[in-house]
Amino acid sequence: MSIKKTPSAWRQATRLLHAEAERTEFGETSEALFLTSGFIYDNAEQAAKTFTGEVQHYQYSRFGNPTVAALERRLANLEGAEACVATATGMGAVSSALLAHVKAGDRVVASRALFGSCHWIVSALLPRYGVETIFVDGSDLSAWEEALSQPAAAVLLESPSNPMLDILDIRAISALAHKAGALVVVDNVFASPVYQKPLELGADVVVYSCTKHIDGQGRVLGGAVLGRKDWITETLQPFTRNTGNALSPFNAWVMLKGLETLVLRVDAMTRNAAAVADYLAQAPGILQVRYPGRKDHPQYDLARSQMSGAGSLIAFEVDKGQKGAFAFMNALELIAISNNLGDSRSLITHPATTTHMKVGADERTRLGISDGAIRLSVGLEDSADLIDDLARGIAQLQKA
Ligand SMILES: *Cc1c(COP(=O)(O)O)cnc(C)c1O
């Protein structure tokens, strides 16, 4: 088997189908699925040389697997990264990137608006291992400047953020972080690799939950960490390999299939999201719509300067608080109530009582997550059907 050279002129959609392709002698069209835990050596000498590194041979699927490697190469090519490690889940990617990099006595600075489990890692897990963690309001550059006026080991941020879609200035924060000696880790799930390239904006490491848009069809869990080759091989890989954060080859194969339609899906979901956001913005009982593609988003210009598309997620606030939000959601017949996102099916969630229940009321207030806030992940349905469904929500909201 050999990896075909990827022409540098290829555009994104072409890369997603063909980049870094490797075929067996059978000439299969689709990537081969190597559903195997281990590998066999021709002789004892080959095994010994594999372990010294003189011979390149797969050893064990916790260390590496051809199907997982195919996904890693294609993701790295898509992201413009030197290297990639695929992980069992998105949280496996976030936790490994941080835990592999920091040690007791280090400081980590993070934006407050993080996915629930990322918030837990920074606020609860890292301090237990002697890492000092500081949360800042992500859109306040002076807060970053102050927190990064002392040396720091790592910065973690998410933009657009979950669930209120704040846009953080990745260029400016990366510059401040580098002065403090910090590795900049960006959780790029909400933008998706199609619309935002954090490495080009100055970040060092990009993490994904591939569960979201990359699979995007509600089937498998997976994650990925992308960055410089030296950091991936010397810092991250010993950690992921020895702690067992390996992606199943089957899941990798499903995600390779997902990548083939990623641009198509994300573009179509984004067109739907724009139509739905405009509908919600003029509907009665809606206090606020947050969508990075709308001019009334508080960081619209920043979003345009670092994202090439606005994405498939919308946050909005209904009047009548939780009662209004529940009446709205329960009236929907097409859009499903689920805390997942980035799926081909439209999904809706009430962050205050689900994904952000555990952060507490005070922290929710700081994050701008009111009891009437709703997050909508827009899928691939016909936008007219989505708007008809949301109209049912609006009607029930008025009666609530
Ligand atoms: C879903 C998600 C994660 C975690 O990914 P899993 O695959 O569920 O482990 C991390 N960050 C963001 C922004 C997410 O949406």
Side-chain angles (χ1 to χ4, degrees):
M1 290 187 25
S2 66
I3 299 165
K4 257 178 95 176
K5 203 171 172 308
T6 304
S8 57
W10 277 356
R11 280 85 175 170
Q12 192 156 254
T14 310
R15 290 171 184 279
L16 285 168
L17 286 151
H18 297 287
E20 306 290 306
E22 186 177 40
R23 285 203 168 86
T24 74
E25 70 269 28
F26 299 120
E28 64 281 354
T29 308
S30 167
E31 273 76 19
L33 168 53
F34 292 93
L35 200 56
T36 181
S37 45
F39 300 87
I40 289 166
Y41 305 98
D42 294 337
N43 49 53
E45 286 79 4
Q46 190 188 40
K49 283 186 175 157
T50 299
F51 276 73
T52 61
E54 290 161 79
V55 163
Q56 288 292 310
H57 196 290
Y58 283 102
Q59 291 160 282
Y60 187 54
S61 284
R62 173 154 53 74
F63 277 59
N65 171 283
T67 310
V68 176
L71 175 69
E72 291 169 338
R73 286 195 309 272
R74 195 152 297 164
L75 284 173
N77 186 279
L78 167 67
E79 195 69 42
E82 288 175 10
C84 172
V85 166
T87 55
T89 65
M91 284 322 302
V94 175
S95 61
S96 293
L98 290 174
L99 289 168
H101 188 76
V102 302
K103 58 182 189 311
D106 280 347
R107 291 173 76 239
V108 169
V109 182
S111 66
R112 183 167 277 125
L114 289 178
F115 183 75
S117 294
C118 299
H119 195 278
W120 181 84
I121 290 194
V122 174
S123 63
L125 184 70
L126 291 179
R128 219 189 270 172
Y129 293 93
V131 176
E132 184 196 348
T133 60
I134 298 110
F135 279 115
V136 298
D137 170 353
S139 45
D140 180 355
L141 277 179
S142 63
W144 284 104
E145 199 167 354
E146 198 194 320
L148 292 166
S149 61
Q150 301 171 50
V155 156
L156 174 66
L157 66 93
E158 203 178 291
S159 180
S161 70
N162 178 41
M164 297 311 291
L165 302 165
D166 303 323
I167 307 293
L168 276 61
D169 189 337
I170 299 174
R171 286 187 192 91
I173 297 165
S174 297
L176 291 169
H178 289 153
K179 272 195 245 161
L183 180 88
V184 179
V185 182
V186 175
D187 183 334
N188 203 38
V189 166
F190 270 48
S192 91
V194 177
Y195 292 149
Q196 184 167 270
K197 307 279 190 207
L199 300 178
E200 287 173 11
L201 300 170
D204 303 295
V205 173
V206 179
V207 289
Y208 286 105
S209 166
C210 301
T211 317
K212 310 298 164 53
H213 303 85
I214 291 174
D215 170 39
Q217 290 151 86
R219 301 168 294 196
V220 297
L221 299 174
V225 185
L226 298 110
R228 276 192 303 274
K229 194 165 187 188
D230 58 345
W231 185 83
I232 294 274
T233 53
E234 289 158 29
T235 302
L236 183 70
Q237 230 163 23
F239 186 91
T240 52
R241 287 179 166 178
N242 292 304
T243 57
N245 195 348
L247 180 66
S248 153
F250 179 78
N251 291 4
W253 184 84
V254 172
M255 284 165 184
L256 279 163
K257 289 277 125 200
L259 284 181
E260 293 182 9
T261 57
L262 182 68
V263 171
L264 269 180
R265 285 183 290 109
V266 171
D267 281 347
M269 288 153 87
T270 299
R271 279 195 300 276
N272 277 352
V276 162
D278 287 346
Y279 166 75
L280 287 170
Q282 55 74 52
I286 303 290
L287 303 177
Q288 184 200 170
V289 172
R290 280 218 164 187
Y291 183 62
R294 278 180 58 86
K295 289 213 174 78
D296 56 5
H297 188 290
Q299 293 120 1
Y300 173 74
D301 291 330
L302 179 59
R304 282 191 57 134
S305 82
Q306 60 186 27
M307 298 170 76
S308 57
S312 63
L313 286 132
I314 300 171
F316 60 100
E317 192 185 351
V318 299
D319 62 8
K320 304 176 187 161
Q322 181 177 322
K323 188 162 119 257
F326 280 21
F328 184 98
M329 290 167 67
N330 289 337
L332 303 176
E333 293 170 11
L334 175 61
I335 300 168
I337 299 172
S338 169
N339 46 276
N340 198 7
L341 61 96
D343 197 86
S344 51
R345 293 169 177 78
S346 292
L347 303 173
I348 199 160
T349 191
H350 183 243
T353 54
T354 60
T355 55
H356 288 70
M357 183 261 290
K358 288 215 179 88
V359 303
D362 290 347
E363 187 72 353
R364 280 199 296 278
T365 305
R366 275 194 287 269
L367 294 171
I369 307 172
S370 71
D371 289 346
I374 292 176
R375 186 189 76 196
L376 175 59
S377 172
V378 181
L380 290 173
E381 299 90 348
D382 190 305
S383 63
D385 289 325
L386 293 174
I387 289 170
D388 286 349
D389 202 37
L390 293 166
R392 283 186 268 274
I394 297 290
Q396 283 308 311
L397 171 63
Q398 286 174 296
K399 289 186 210 152

